[in-house]
Amino acid sequence: MDIAALPELGIGISAEYGSAQSGIDALELRQNLPGAIDFLEYGCDLARGFDSHVRAWSEAGLPATYHFLDLNLTERDDADDDWIAHTRQLADQLGAAWLCGDGGLWHFGPRDRGHETLLPPVLTADSADEMAEAIARLEDATGMACLPENPPAAIYLGDMHIADYFARVASRTGGGLLLDCAHLAIYQRVKGHDPLTALDGFPMDRVVEIHVAGGSEREHQGLPWIDDDHSPEPLPDTWQIFEHVTQRAHNLKAVVYECERNRIEDVADNFQRIRTIWSSRPRS
Amino acid sequence: MSHHSLQKALVVALHDGEFVARMHSEPDQALADFDLSLDERRQLLAIDRRALSIDRMRSRRVLKAISAELPASLTIALAHTRRFATAEGFFASARFRRAIIDETSLVFALADYLSDRASELGHELLDGVVAIERARARCRRPEPGRSGLRLADGVALIETTAGTLAALHAAESALFEASLVAHMALCDDSPSLSFDHLIDETAVFLVVAARAGDVILEPVDEPLYAVLSAVEQASQRGPIAPSAMAGLLADIGLRVPDPDQLTRELCASGYLRD
């Protein structure tokens, strides 16, 4: 998949089914804070489909991307013909520029009630290779780019650094990546690394999309952990990673500020900060 | 030995605190079903146990989702034992572990678990209600169609008793009443549930059918049930032609003037398809 040919979308906001009812409506944000966002990233699973919010955005002909919430990229055959056909149909309705989603486990076992989860892949070479095969199959079947995203977790298994894992995936697919800076910050904390550990060997030219999101530091029985709760303020580690990667990702097309659960007034300043960093990036 | 096996062991560990304790105290026994390499086992045992219990509501959310298809069964089970441990014990059960390892549906694993409890308790009504709700769940998930004359997609047959049906309806009514004011469950003077008086061995023949977004229970007479059952059993052995109806009727001792007409009517009514 030729990532250089993908459109440049700019700054986006995330949404999921029903998120606009209690959080931010992207059309209202666009109206009340002109220039804040350029596109919408919709987190979707086939069980729920679209809500009225994303339908309104789509009917306005505005740019969007499709973020799946029900596909296990760690399983070569999880994207069956039925899933592919229905997802492609929704992505087409949305006018999505590409598909993306956390590369790991969105359901354990069958795609059935009670089986929903989000777990990272086991960070091994054979898992990375299987993910690459799944992505290649999906891209062939849909004709759309599929950007795998590094997931958040309190537990990571496997002997590879997560950056090396997704680097291997990208080298096998020849395609792009979605680097979630908040999720990477979580991983580095879990492993006791500095925020930028292992990024020196990371294929920055494969980064098509970046996520920035707030997280909260919590403690469970004395164990510190970070809640990926999409609160307004990203951790300093997240900002550090974002600024570092933005300066080096010459094929970067989009940045999503995952803040859909908050009030516009609580995130306005960060949209400006993100746009300033985005605008200062070197152009290839 | 694969990343999939290790992932499955992690899924079980995230839902079952007893499994976590056993995998540390008796790793050979606890991990025997997971086909892990020594290094994979080492990684699993190296996980900070506290990290496995960060999400305290994980199992509760799963239980909420899957019990939505077995509401009466779970109601009857808990009304009998009066212990929520009966429900939460599902995650420590072999049924749960097997479903994770075999990648099968947790709804049916919970149904099997409740059937096991029914057997232990000698609770025939519970077992009967589980069978009905299991059939409903199956009707919501039509399997890829076989060819030939067979039960229509989303249709199943259940032979049960009047007492079981009464227990199902009583449990559903109790749940509805409890949903009006959920706080009632906290009170010592809330109505107690008892199903023992509902024992009635009168046979009832049901067609369970997915219709317009719901799954209905339709009582039918015994001859119709016998015809549909004969078609179901025959079609499970291999594809049968619509013209085979005459032979099937003869096998069960029934005669009709026009077997082909009967086939057409049963297909038109949504019981069968060819």
Side-chain angles (χ1 to χ4, degrees), chain B:
Chain B
M1 294 170 283
S2 75
H3 60 97
H4 298 297
S5 298
L6 182 54
Q7 197 79 285
K8 289 174 183 177
L10 176 61
V11 169
V12 173
L14 286 168
H15 291 84
D16 181 6
E18 291 179 24
F19 173 79
V20 174
R22 274 202 335 275
M23 78 181 189
H24 284 277
S25 63
E26 305 167 318
D28 289 343
Q29 286 157 304
L31 300 175
D33 291 334
F34 290 98
D35 192 25
L36 301 176
S37 68
L38 286 175
D39 187 56
E40 288 165 345
R41 178 187 285 205
R42 177 193 59 77
Q43 289 182 50
L44 196 61
L45 294 175
I47 296 172
D48 188 318
R49 290 200 207 186
R50 295 171 296 176
L52 292 165
S53 61
I54 283 174
D55 187 352
R56 295 184 302 109
M57 291 293 111
R58 185 188 301 268
S59 299
R60 202 67 64 85
R61 288 194 304 273
V62 173
L63 191 58
K64 178 184 177 183
I66 61 178
S67 66
E69 295 201 59
L70 300 158
S73 304
L74 192 59
T75 298
I76 294 170
L78 296 185
H80 185 87
T81 66
R82 307 295 296 171
R83 296 180 68 238
F84 193 60
T86 299
E88 292 188 316
F90 168 65
F91 296 100
S93 72
R95 296 291 191 182
F96 174 76
R97 272 193 309 284
R98 203 70 248 163
I100 300 302
I101 292 168
D102 295 343
E103 299 183 16
T104 53
S105 168
L106 289 180
V107 168
F108 296 104
L110 180 59
D112 290 340
Y113 169 79
L114 291 173
S115 283
D116 294 342
R117 301 288 75 71
S119 294
E120 284 174 6
L121 299 167
H123 203 310
E124 288 183 15
L125 287 179
L126 173 57
D127 197 46
V129 170
V130 171
I132 292 174
E133 293 194 311
R134 187 203 305 270
R136 275 176 160 163
R138 213 179 306 123
C139 288
R140 293 187 188 97
R141 298 165 176 78
E143 291 172 358
R146 288 170 273 146
S147 59
L149 185 66
R150 60 196 184 277
L151 286 184
D153 293 342
V155 171
L157 304 176
I158 284 277
E159 181 180 347
T160 187
T161 67
T164 299
L165 210 51
L168 173 75
H169 293 146
E172 289 174 340
S173 290
L175 274 175
F176 172 72
E177 289 177 27
S179 71
L180 294 176
V181 184
H183 312 78
M184 196 167 62
L186 302 170
C187 304
D188 292 338
D189 61 349
S190 61
S192 63
L193 292 178
S194 174
F195 300 91
D196 296 339
H197 63 287
L198 298 174
I199 300 285
D200 180 345
E201 298 292 337
T202 307
V204 175
F205 303 96
L206 297 174
V207 170
V208 186
R211 300 258 191 270
D214 198 1
V215 181
I216 63 169
L217 301 178
E218 180 188 346
V220 296
D221 59 38
E222 189 172 358
L224 174 57
Y225 186 89
V227 171
L228 296 176
S229 186
V231 171
E232 181 189 32
Q233 289 172 31
S235 68
Q236 283 172 350
R237 291 191 291 271
I240 55 173
S243 57
M245 179 62 80
L248 293 176
L249 291 173
D251 289 343
I252 59 175
L254 287 177
R255 294 178 64 183
V256 300
D258 188 343
D260 291 341
Q261 175 65 17
L262 175 62
T263 302
R264 285 191 293 273
E265 286 173 1
L266 292 178
C267 288
S269 300
Y271 295 124
L272 300 178
R273 65 171 295 178
D274 63 25

Side-chain angles (χ1 to χ4, degrees), chain A residues 65-241:
Chain A
T65 54
Y66 184 104
H67 183 299
F68 52 76
L69 302 177
D70 55 359
L71 178 66
N72 294 347
L73 282 183
T74 51
E75 296 174 358
R76 186 180 300 108
D77 300 321
D78 189 51
D80 56 38
D81 293 343
D82 193 54
W83 186 93
I84 290 172
H86 283 101
T87 298
R88 181 62 206 254
Q89 188 177 29
L90 288 175
D92 283 347
Q93 284 177 24
L94 188 56
W98 56 72
L99 305 174
C100 57
D102 296 68
L105 225 62
W106 279 102
H107 58 93
F108 51 87
R111 205 173 273 116
D112 198 357
R113 65 162 71 221
H115 289 254
E116 300 89 350
T117 188
L118 176 56
L119 292 176
V122 176
L123 301 172
T124 59
D126 61 334
S127 169
D129 293 347
E130 184 165 353
M131 183 177 293
E133 287 180 46
I135 291 168
R137 181 166 174 269
L138 184 56
E139 290 186 335
D140 280 345
T142 62
M144 297 181 72
C146 173
L147 309 178
E149 173 185 350
N150 50 304
I155 297 167
Y156 293 89
L157 296 172
D159 49 11
M160 296 176 76
H161 188 288
I162 200 166
D164 295 333
Y165 177 94
F166 282 95
R168 185 178 177 105
V169 171
S171 76
R172 295 290 189 277
T173 64
L177 293 168
L178 191 171
L179 180 64
D180 191 304
C181 301
H183 296 173
L184 180 58
I186 291 172
Y187 173 85
Q188 305 285 37
R189 288 268 191 111
V190 168
K191 293 296 186 179
H193 296 319
D194 291 332
L196 304 183
T197 298
L199 287 183
D200 53 343
F202 193 71
M204 295 292 183
D205 60 327
R206 300 301 185 89
V207 178
V208 173
E209 182 177 340
I210 284 176
H211 282 181
V212 175
S216 300
E217 292 169 309
R218 304 199 192 282
E219 192 179 292
H220 173 66
Q221 297 176 0
L223 176 72
W225 64 285
I226 297 173
D227 188 354
D228 182 41
D229 57 10
H230 293 190
S231 49
E233 190 56 37
L235 297 173
D237 309 20
T238 302
W239 285 120
Q240 184 181 0
I241 295 167

Side-chain angles (χ1 to χ4, degrees), chain A residues 257-271:
Chain A
Y257 178 23
E258 295 185 299
C259 60
E260 70 281 0
R261 302 172 194 171
N262 305 291
R263 301 179 308 169
I264 291 177
E265 52 264 42
D266 292 333
V267 300
D269 287 349
N270 279 339
F271 268 115

